[in-house]
mmCIF file of all heavy atoms in Angstrom:
data_model
loop_
_atom_site.group_PDB
_atom_site.id
_atom_site.type_symbol
_atom_site.label_atom_id
_atom_site.label_comp_id
_atom_site.label_asym_id
_atom_site.label_seq_id
_atom_site.Cartn_x
_atom_site.Cartn_y
_atom_site.Cartn_z
ATOM 1 N N THR A 258 143.680 90.638 101.505
ATOM 2 C CA THR A 258 144.119 91.986 101.892
ATOM 3 C C THR A 258 142.928 92.927 102.036
ATOM 4 O O THR A 258 143.099 94.083 102.423
ATOM 5 C CB THR A 258 145.090 92.551 100.831
ATOM 6 O OG1 THR A 258 144.442 92.551 99.546
ATOM 7 C CG2 THR A 258 146.356 91.719 100.766
ATOM 8 N N ASP A 259 141.737 92.426 101.751
ATOM 9 C CA ASP A 259 140.527 93.252 101.869
ATOM 10 C C ASP A 259 139.951 93.224 103.276
ATOM 11 O O ASP A 259 139.081 94.026 103.611
ATOM 12 C CB ASP A 259 139.454 92.769 100.879
ATOM 13 C CG ASP A 259 139.863 92.976 99.429
ATOM 14 O OD1 ASP A 259 140.579 93.967 99.166
ATOM 15 O OD2 ASP A 259 139.491 92.152 98.585
ATOM 16 N N PHE A 260 140.424 92.284 104.093
ATOM 17 C CA PHE A 260 139.952 92.176 105.464
ATOM 18 C C PHE A 260 141.040 92.668 106.412
ATOM 19 O O PHE A 260 142.229 92.594 106.104
ATOM 20 C CB PHE A 260 139.550 90.735 105.780
ATOM 21 C CG PHE A 260 138.264 90.328 105.123
ATOM 22 C CD1 PHE A 260 138.246 89.942 103.793
ATOM 23 C CD2 PHE A 260 137.066 90.348 105.830
ATOM 24 C CE1 PHE A 260 137.057 89.577 103.169
ATOM 25 C CE2 PHE A 260 135.875 89.985 105.223
ATOM 26 C CZ PHE A 260 135.864 89.607 103.892
ATOM 27 N N HIS A 261 140.630 93.151 107.561
ATOM 28 C CA HIS A 261 141.547 93.805 108.490
ATOM 29 C C HIS A 261 141.725 93.002 109.769
ATOM 30 O O HIS A 261 140.834 92.257 110.180
ATOM 31 C CB HIS A 261 141.031 95.209 108.837
ATOM 32 C CG HIS A 261 140.829 96.089 107.639
ATOM 33 N ND1 HIS A 261 139.667 96.071 106.894
ATOM 34 C CD2 HIS A 261 141.650 96.992 107.051
ATOM 35 C CE1 HIS A 261 139.769 96.938 105.896
ATOM 36 N NE2 HIS A 261 140.959 97.504 105.969
ATOM 37 N N ILE A 262 142.866 93.213 110.385
ATOM 38 C CA ILE A 262 143.174 92.603 111.677
ATOM 39 C C ILE A 262 143.691 93.712 112.585
ATOM 40 O O ILE A 262 144.796 94.222 112.381
ATOM 41 C CB ILE A 262 144.223 91.488 111.543
ATOM 42 C CG1 ILE A 262 143.719 90.397 110.592
ATOM 43 C CG2 ILE A 262 144.544 90.891 112.915
ATOM 44 C CD1 ILE A 262 144.745 89.318 110.295
ATOM 45 N N GLU A 263 142.892 94.113 113.528
ATOM 46 C CA GLU A 263 143.241 95.198 114.453
ATOM 47 C C GLU A 263 143.638 96.459 113.691
ATOM 48 O O GLU A 263 144.542 97.176 114.094
ATOM 49 C CB GLU A 263 144.381 94.773 115.382
ATOM 50 C CG GLU A 263 144.044 93.578 116.253
ATOM 51 C CD GLU A 263 145.200 93.175 117.155
ATOM 52 O OE1 GLU A 263 146.360 93.463 116.802
ATOM 53 O OE2 GLU A 263 144.940 92.588 118.205
ATOM 54 N N ASN A 264 142.963 96.701 112.605
ATOM 55 C CA ASN A 264 143.388 97.829 111.776
ATOM 56 C C ASN A 264 142.220 98.457 111.009
ATOM 57 O O ASN A 264 142.366 98.926 109.893
ATOM 58 C CB ASN A 264 144.455 97.364 110.767
ATOM 59 C CG ASN A 264 145.103 98.531 110.050
ATOM 60 O OD1 ASN A 264 145.290 99.598 110.622
ATOM 61 N ND2 ASN A 264 145.434 98.344 108.774
ATOM 62 N N SER A 265 141.041 98.444 111.594
ATOM 63 C CA SER A 265 139.882 99.037 110.934
ATOM 64 C C SER A 265 139.757 100.490 111.362
ATOM 65 O O SER A 265 139.716 100.798 112.554
ATOM 66 C CB SER A 265 138.608 98.270 111.292
ATOM 67 O OG SER A 265 138.659 96.990 110.733
ATOM 68 N N ASN A 266 139.719 101.362 110.397
ATOM 69 C CA ASN A 266 139.646 102.790 110.691
ATOM 70 C C ASN A 266 138.238 103.329 110.419
ATOM 71 O O ASN A 266 137.509 102.816 109.587
ATOM 72 C CB ASN A 266 140.641 103.559 109.816
ATOM 73 C CG ASN A 266 142.078 103.147 110.088
ATOM 74 O OD1 ASN A 266 142.460 102.975 111.243
ATOM 75 N ND2 ASN A 266 142.860 102.967 109.036
ATOM 76 N N GLY A 267 137.893 104.369 111.152
ATOM 77 C CA GLY A 267 136.620 105.021 110.915
ATOM 78 C C GLY A 267 135.490 104.419 111.732
ATOM 79 O O GLY A 267 135.555 103.298 112.221
ATOM 80 N N ALA A 268 134.413 105.195 111.867
ATOM 81 C CA ALA A 268 133.255 104.752 112.634
ATOM 82 C C ALA A 268 132.427 103.761 111.822
ATOM 83 O O ALA A 268 132.356 103.836 110.599
ATOM 84 C CB ALA A 268 132.398 105.956 113.020
ATOM 85 N N LEU A 269 131.795 102.820 112.527
ATOM 86 C CA LEU A 269 130.945 101.854 111.856
ATOM 87 C C LEU A 269 129.649 102.509 111.397
ATOM 88 O O LEU A 269 129.105 103.387 112.069
ATOM 89 C CB LEU A 269 130.611 100.709 112.806
ATOM 90 C CG LEU A 269 131.707 99.693 113.116
ATOM 91 C CD1 LEU A 269 131.174 98.679 114.101
ATOM 92 C CD2 LEU A 269 132.191 99.018 111.858
ATOM 93 N N GLU A 270 129.164 102.064 110.262
ATOM 94 C CA GLU A 270 127.858 102.507 109.789
ATOM 95 C C GLU A 270 126.798 101.613 110.418
ATOM 96 O O GLU A 270 126.667 100.438 110.076
ATOM 97 C CB GLU A 270 127.776 102.417 108.266
ATOM 98 C CG GLU A 270 126.409 102.810 107.719
ATOM 99 C CD GLU A 270 126.286 102.585 106.223
ATOM 100 O OE1 GLU A 270 127.279 102.154 105.606
ATOM 101 O OE2 GLU A 270 125.193 102.824 105.688
ATOM 102 N N LEU A 271 126.041 102.166 111.372
ATOM 103 C CA LEU A 271 125.015 101.386 112.054
ATOM 104 C C LEU A 271 123.820 101.202 111.127
ATOM 105 O O LEU A 271 123.405 102.126 110.424
ATOM 106 C CB LEU A 271 124.587 102.085 113.344
ATOM 107 C CG LEU A 271 125.688 102.287 114.388
ATOM 108 C CD1 LEU A 271 125.123 102.948 115.634
ATOM 109 C CD2 LEU A 271 126.354 100.965 114.746
ATOM 110 N N LEU A 272 123.271 99.998 111.138
ATOM 111 C CA LEU A 272 122.150 99.674 110.261
ATOM 112 C C LEU A 272 120.855 99.731 111.056
ATOM 113 O O LEU A 272 120.531 98.806 111.807
ATOM 114 C CB LEU A 272 122.358 98.285 109.657
ATOM 115 C CG LEU A 272 123.658 98.112 108.863
ATOM 116 C CD1 LEU A 272 123.798 96.679 108.378
ATOM 117 C CD2 LEU A 272 123.698 99.082 107.686
ATOM 118 N N ASP A 273 120.126 100.806 110.920
ATOM 119 C CA ASP A 273 118.882 100.999 111.653
ATOM 120 C C ASP A 273 117.715 100.734 110.705
ATOM 121 O O ASP A 273 117.531 101.456 109.716
ATOM 122 C CB ASP A 273 118.801 102.427 112.194
ATOM 123 C CG ASP A 273 117.675 102.595 113.205
ATOM 124 O OD1 ASP A 273 116.678 101.849 113.110
ATOM 125 O OD2 ASP A 273 117.793 103.469 114.077
ATOM 126 N N PRO A 274 116.900 99.698 110.954
ATOM 127 C CA PRO A 274 115.804 99.357 110.042
ATOM 128 C C PRO A 274 114.607 100.295 110.109
ATOM 129 O O PRO A 274 113.694 100.190 109.291
ATOM 130 C CB PRO A 274 115.425 97.946 110.491
ATOM 131 C CG PRO A 274 115.740 97.938 111.949
ATOM 132 C CD PRO A 274 116.997 98.780 112.092
ATOM 133 N N GLY A 275 114.586 101.202 111.090
ATOM 134 C CA GLY A 275 113.484 102.148 111.191
ATOM 135 C C GLY A 275 112.480 101.785 112.275
ATOM 136 O O GLY A 275 112.413 100.638 112.733
ATOM 137 N N ALA A 276 111.665 102.761 112.669
ATOM 138 C CA ALA A 276 110.744 102.604 113.788
ATOM 139 C C ALA A 276 109.683 101.531 113.536
ATOM 140 O O ALA A 276 109.325 100.771 114.441
ATOM 141 C CB ALA A 276 110.069 103.945 114.091
ATOM 142 N N GLU A 277 109.168 101.467 112.309
ATOM 143 C CA GLU A 277 108.098 100.493 112.021
ATOM 144 C C GLU A 277 108.601 99.064 112.159
ATOM 145 O O GLU A 277 107.955 98.221 112.800
ATOM 146 C CB GLU A 277 107.547 100.713 110.616
ATOM 147 C CG GLU A 277 106.393 99.766 110.278
ATOM 148 C CD GLU A 277 105.783 100.039 108.909
ATOM 149 O OE1 GLU A 277 106.224 101.002 108.237
ATOM 150 O OE2 GLU A 277 104.877 99.296 108.520
ATOM 151 N N ILE A 278 109.769 98.787 111.576
ATOM 152 C CA ILE A 278 110.342 97.445 111.680
ATOM 153 C C ILE A 278 110.676 97.122 113.130
ATOM 154 O O ILE A 278 110.468 95.995 113.608
ATOM 155 C CB ILE A 278 111.610 97.315 110.806
ATOM 156 C CG1 ILE A 278 111.243 97.401 109.323
ATOM 157 C CG2 ILE A 278 112.336 96.001 111.098
ATOM 158 C CD1 ILE A 278 110.389 96.268 108.830
ATOM 159 N N LYS A 279 111.168 98.100 113.865
ATOM 160 C CA LYS A 279 111.492 97.874 115.272
ATOM 161 C C LYS A 279 110.248 97.475 116.058
ATOM 162 O O LYS A 279 110.275 96.580 116.896
ATOM 163 C CB LYS A 279 112.123 99.129 115.876
ATOM 164 C CG LYS A 279 113.563 99.363 115.473
ATOM 165 C CD LYS A 279 114.101 100.601 116.166
ATOM 166 C CE LYS A 279 115.567 100.844 115.828
ATOM 167 N NZ LYS A 279 116.090 102.052 116.492
ATOM 168 N N SER A 280 109.145 98.143 115.799
ATOM 169 C CA SER A 280 107.899 97.846 116.507
ATOM 170 C C SER A 280 107.394 96.451 116.160
ATOM 171 O O SER A 280 107.025 95.666 117.036
ATOM 172 C CB SER A 280 106.833 98.886 116.155
ATOM 173 O OG SER A 280 105.601 98.568 116.775
ATOM 174 N N VAL A 281 107.381 96.133 114.876
ATOM 175 C CA VAL A 281 106.914 94.822 114.425
ATOM 176 C C VAL A 281 107.816 93.713 114.972
ATOM 177 O O VAL A 281 107.337 92.690 115.481
ATOM 178 C CB VAL A 281 106.866 94.758 112.884
ATOM 179 C CG1 VAL A 281 106.615 93.324 112.416
ATOM 180 C CG2 VAL A 281 105.800 95.691 112.346
ATOM 181 N N SER A 282 109.125 93.914 114.871
ATOM 182 C CA SER A 282 110.068 92.886 115.299
ATOM 183 C C SER A 282 110.020 92.661 116.802
ATOM 184 O O SER A 282 110.139 91.530 117.277
ATOM 185 C CB SER A 282 111.491 93.245 114.863
ATOM 186 O OG SER A 282 111.920 94.455 115.471
ATOM 187 N N ASP A 283 109.817 93.722 117.565
ATOM 188 C CA ASP A 283 109.736 93.595 119.022
ATOM 189 C C ASP A 283 108.527 92.759 119.417
ATOM 190 O O ASP A 283 108.610 91.861 120.255
ATOM 191 C CB ASP A 283 109.662 94.976 119.672
ATOM 192 C CG ASP A 283 109.526 94.895 121.181
ATOM 193 O OD1 ASP A 283 110.461 94.399 121.832
ATOM 194 O OD2 ASP A 283 108.470 95.306 121.711
ATOM 195 N N ASN A 284 107.393 93.022 118.796
ATOM 196 C CA ASN A 284 106.185 92.256 119.096
ATOM 197 C C ASN A 284 106.342 90.802 118.670
ATOM 198 O O ASN A 284 105.944 89.875 119.390
ATOM 199 C CB ASN A 284 104.986 92.886 118.368
ATOM 200 C CG ASN A 284 103.680 92.205 118.715
ATOM 201 O OD1 ASN A 284 103.219 92.227 119.840
ATOM 202 N ND2 ASN A 284 103.065 91.579 117.721
ATOM 203 N N TRP A 285 106.954 90.592 117.501
ATOM 204 C CA TRP A 285 107.175 89.237 116.997
ATOM 205 C C TRP A 285 108.102 88.469 117.927
ATOM 206 O O TRP A 285 107.872 87.296 118.224
ATOM 207 C CB TRP A 285 107.766 89.322 115.587
ATOM 208 C CG TRP A 285 107.677 88.051 114.792
ATOM 209 C CD1 TRP A 285 108.521 86.974 114.866
ATOM 210 C CD2 TRP A 285 106.688 87.711 113.819
ATOM 211 N NE1 TRP A 285 108.139 85.995 113.987
ATOM 212 C CE2 TRP A 285 107.015 86.412 113.331
ATOM 213 C CE3 TRP A 285 105.587 88.371 113.285
ATOM 214 C CZ2 TRP A 285 106.260 85.776 112.349
ATOM 215 C CZ3 TRP A 285 104.831 87.733 112.310
ATOM 216 C CH2 TRP A 285 105.178 86.459 111.864
ATOM 217 N N MET A 286 109.143 89.137 118.381
ATOM 218 C CA MET A 286 110.103 88.488 119.263
ATOM 219 C C MET A 286 109.456 88.088 120.588
ATOM 220 O O MET A 286 109.698 86.989 121.113
ATOM 221 C CB MET A 286 111.289 89.417 119.518
ATOM 222 C CG MET A 286 112.331 88.872 120.484
ATOM 223 S SD MET A 286 113.255 87.449 119.835
ATOM 224 C CE MET A 286 114.312 88.266 118.651
ATOM 225 N N ARG A 287 108.611 88.945 121.142
ATOM 226 C CA ARG A 287 107.994 88.658 122.442
ATOM 227 C C ARG A 287 107.024 87.484 122.377
ATOM 228 O O ARG A 287 106.884 86.733 123.338
ATOM 229 C CB ARG A 287 107.286 89.898 122.979
ATOM 230 C CG ARG A 287 108.236 90.972 123.489
ATOM 231 C CD ARG A 287 107.542 92.066 124.272
ATOM 232 N NE ARG A 287 106.653 92.861 123.423
ATOM 233 C CZ ARG A 287 105.329 92.901 123.544
ATOM 234 N NH1 ARG A 287 104.736 92.166 124.474
ATOM 235 N NH2 ARG A 287 104.606 93.654 122.754
ATOM 236 N N HIS A 288 106.347 87.330 121.245
ATOM 237 C CA HIS A 288 105.345 86.274 121.133
ATOM 238 C C HIS A 288 105.869 85.012 120.435
ATOM 239 O O HIS A 288 105.562 83.896 120.859
ATOM 240 C CB HIS A 288 104.118 86.805 120.397
ATOM 241 C CG HIS A 288 103.389 87.871 121.142
ATOM 242 N ND1 HIS A 288 102.550 87.600 122.202
ATOM 243 C CD2 HIS A 288 103.396 89.228 121.012
ATOM 244 C CE1 HIS A 288 102.052 88.731 122.681
ATOM 245 N NE2 HIS A 288 102.564 89.726 121.976
ATOM 246 N N GLU A 289 106.642 85.191 119.371
ATOM 247 C CA GLU A 289 107.155 84.058 118.613
ATOM 248 C C GLU A 289 108.544 83.621 119.089
ATOM 249 O O GLU A 289 108.944 82.479 118.907
ATOM 250 C CB GLU A 289 107.235 84.416 117.125
ATOM 251 C CG GLU A 289 105.920 84.891 116.524
ATOM 252 C CD GLU A 289 105.079 83.748 115.981
ATOM 253 O OE1 GLU A 289 105.609 82.628 115.915
ATOM 254 O OE2 GLU A 289 103.916 83.984 115.616
ATOM 255 N N GLY A 290 109.287 84.576 119.646
ATOM 256 C CA GLY A 290 110.617 84.252 120.160
ATOM 257 C C GLY A 290 111.732 84.377 119.150
ATOM 258 O O GLY A 290 112.880 84.045 119.449
ATOM 259 N N TYR A 291 111.429 84.847 117.936
ATOM 260 C CA TYR A 291 112.459 84.997 116.916
ATOM 261 C C TYR A 291 112.047 86.099 115.951
ATOM 262 O O TYR A 291 110.914 86.569 115.944
ATOM 263 C CB TYR A 291 112.646 83.685 116.138
ATOM 264 C CG TYR A 291 111.550 83.427 115.120
ATOM 265 C CD1 TYR A 291 111.704 83.795 113.781
ATOM 266 C CD2 TYR A 291 110.342 82.840 115.503
ATOM 267 C CE1 TYR A 291 110.685 83.583 112.854
ATOM 268 C CE2 TYR A 291 109.325 82.629 114.583
ATOM 269 C CZ TYR A 291 109.498 83.002 113.253
ATOM 270 O OH TYR A 291 108.491 82.816 112.339
ATOM 271 N N TYR A 292 113.003 86.500 115.114
ATOM 272 C CA TYR A 292 112.683 87.459 114.055
ATOM 273 C C TYR A 292 113.730 87.334 112.950
ATOM 274 O O TYR A 292 114.908 87.119 113.226
ATOM 275 C CB TYR A 292 112.669 88.903 114.568
ATOM 276 C CG TYR A 292 112.137 89.876 113.540
ATOM 277 C CD1 TYR A 292 110.781 89.912 113.248
ATOM 278 C CD2 TYR A 292 112.994 90.723 112.849
ATOM 279 C CE1 TYR A 292 110.279 90.789 112.288
ATOM 280 C CE2 TYR A 292 112.498 91.607 111.893
ATOM 281 C CZ TYR A 292 111.142 91.634 111.616
ATOM 282 O OH TYR A 292 110.642 92.481 110.664
ATOM 283 N N GLN A 293 113.274 87.454 111.701
ATOM 284 C CA GLN A 293 114.164 87.402 110.534
ATOM 285 C C GLN A 293 114.163 88.757 109.853
ATOM 286 O O GLN A 293 113.137 89.214 109.356
ATOM 287 C CB GLN A 293 113.699 86.318 109.554
ATOM 288 C CG GLN A 293 114.563 86.217 108.291
ATOM 289 C CD GLN A 293 114.072 85.117 107.353
ATOM 290 O OE1 GLN A 293 113.139 84.373 107.679
ATOM 291 N NE2 GLN A 293 114.703 85.013 106.195
ATOM 292 N N LEU A 294 115.318 89.403 109.839
ATOM 293 C CA LEU A 294 115.486 90.698 109.180
ATOM 294 C C LEU A 294 116.159 90.437 107.840
ATOM 295 O O LEU A 294 117.278 89.948 107.784
ATOM 296 C CB LEU A 294 116.345 91.614 110.049
ATOM 297 C CG LEU A 294 116.483 93.072 109.627
ATOM 298 C CD1 LEU A 294 115.124 93.760 109.610
ATOM 299 C CD2 LEU A 294 117.417 93.807 110.586
ATOM 300 N N LYS A 295 115.462 90.746 106.762
ATOM 301 C CA LYS A 295 115.915 90.310 105.444
ATOM 302 C C LYS A 295 116.884 91.281 104.781
ATOM 303 O O LYS A 295 116.622 92.483 104.718
ATOM 304 C CB LYS A 295 114.707 90.062 104.544
ATOM 305 C CG LYS A 295 113.805 88.941 105.055
ATOM 306 C CD LYS A 295 112.678 88.627 104.093
ATOM 307 C CE LYS A 295 111.841 87.461 104.605
ATOM 308 N NZ LYS A 295 110.744 87.103 103.673
ATOM 309 N N GLN A 296 117.983 90.734 104.303
ATOM 310 C CA GLN A 296 118.988 91.400 103.475
ATOM 311 C C GLN A 296 119.277 92.845 103.886
ATOM 312 O O GLN A 296 119.131 93.775 103.114
ATOM 313 C CB GLN A 296 118.542 91.357 102.019
ATOM 314 C CG GLN A 296 118.621 89.957 101.435
ATOM 315 C CD GLN A 296 118.450 89.959 99.936
ATOM 316 O OE1 GLN A 296 117.382 90.268 99.427
ATOM 317 N NE2 GLN A 296 119.506 89.621 99.221
ATOM 318 N N ILE A 297 119.732 92.998 105.105
ATOM 319 C CA ILE A 297 120.058 94.328 105.602
ATOM 320 C C ILE A 297 121.516 94.688 105.310
ATOM 321 O O ILE A 297 121.892 95.854 105.328
ATOM 322 C CB ILE A 297 119.764 94.428 107.114
ATOM 323 C CG1 ILE A 297 119.826 95.889 107.576
ATOM 324 C CG2 ILE A 297 120.698 93.526 107.920
ATOM 325 C CD1 ILE A 297 119.313 96.119 108.965
ATOM 326 N N PHE A 298 122.332 93.683 104.982
ATOM 327 C CA PHE A 298 123.751 93.923 104.741
ATOM 328 C C PHE A 298 124.059 94.093 103.257
ATOM 329 O O PHE A 298 123.298 93.656 102.390
ATOM 330 C CB PHE A 298 124.592 92.782 105.309
ATOM 331 C CG PHE A 298 124.567 92.689 106.794
ATOM 332 C CD1 PHE A 298 123.782 91.744 107.429
ATOM 333 C CD2 PHE A 298 125.318 93.553 107.573
ATOM 334 C CE1 PHE A 298 123.739 91.653 108.806
ATOM 335 C CE2 PHE A 298 125.293 93.478 108.951
ATOM 336 C CZ PHE A 298 124.502 92.527 109.570
ATOM 337 N N ASN A 299 125.194 94.711 102.982
ATOM 338 C CA ASN A 299 125.676 94.865 101.620
ATOM 339 C C ASN A 299 126.004 93.494 101.034
ATOM 340 O O ASN A 299 126.759 92.718 101.624
ATOM 341 C CB ASN A 299 126.915 95.760 101.618
ATOM 342 C CG ASN A 299 127.535 95.911 100.252
ATOM 343 O OD1 ASN A 299 128.302 95.060 99.813
ATOM 344 N ND2 ASN A 299 127.215 96.996 99.572
ATOM 345 N N ALA A 300 125.446 93.186 99.870
ATOM 346 C CA ALA A 300 125.610 91.863 99.265
ATOM 347 C C ALA A 300 127.074 91.550 98.955
ATOM 348 O O ALA A 300 127.533 90.421 99.132
ATOM 349 C CB ALA A 300 124.765 91.763 98.003
ATOM 350 N N GLY A 301 127.814 92.551 98.472
ATOM 351 C CA GLY A 301 129.221 92.344 98.152
ATOM 352 C C GLY A 301 130.040 92.015 99.386
ATOM 353 O O GLY A 301 130.943 91.157 99.337
ATOM 354 N N GLU A 302 129.744 92.674 100.493
ATOM 355 C CA GLU A 302 130.454 92.424 101.748
ATOM 356 C C GLU A 302 130.202 90.992 102.223
ATOM 357 O O GLU A 302 131.134 90.279 102.633
ATOM 358 C CB GLU A 302 129.992 93.419 102.811
ATOM 359 C CG GLU A 302 130.577 93.200 104.189
ATOM 360 C CD GLU A 302 129.978 94.114 105.245
ATOM 361 O OE1 GLU A 302 128.919 94.730 104.967
ATOM 362 O OE2 GLU A 302 130.547 94.200 106.335
ATOM 363 N N ILE A 303 128.958 90.565 102.158
ATOM 364 C CA ILE A 303 128.605 89.220 102.606
ATOM 365 C C ILE A 303 129.257 88.159 101.723
ATOM 366 O O ILE A 303 129.786 87.151 102.204
ATOM 367 C CB ILE A 303 127.072 89.047 102.608
ATOM 368 C CG1 ILE A 303 126.436 89.970 103.658
ATOM 369 C CG2 ILE A 303 126.694 87.598 102.874
ATOM 370 C CD1 ILE A 303 126.844 89.683 105.074
#
């Protein structure tokens, strides 16, 4: 009953890692082709 089906109310909380991480991750993605963003989600939710 903690999960929803076509019944989620309210705006989503967007997870923005910040300008520095964005810059680093963009460069890493262009050269390495991947990026790992560590533990950005709520542990209880996961």
Side-chain angles (χ1 to χ4, degrees):
T258 57
D259 294 327
F260 287 81
H261 303 85
I262 301 174
E263 299 180 335
N264 190 35
S265 293
N266 298 318
L269 286 178
E270 177 186 358
L271 299 182
L272 302 177
D273 192 332
E277 182 176 357
I278 293 295
K279 284 182 178 180
S280 177
V281 170
S282 62
D283 178 64
N284 184 65
W285 197 278
M286 177 68 74
R287 286 192 293 114
H288 294 282
E289 304 271 350
Y291 77 95
Y292 189 73
Q293 179 179 355
L294 188 61
K295 297 185 177 181
Q296 289 191 293
I297 192 169
F298 293 102
N299 177 277
E302 176 186 14
I303 294 297

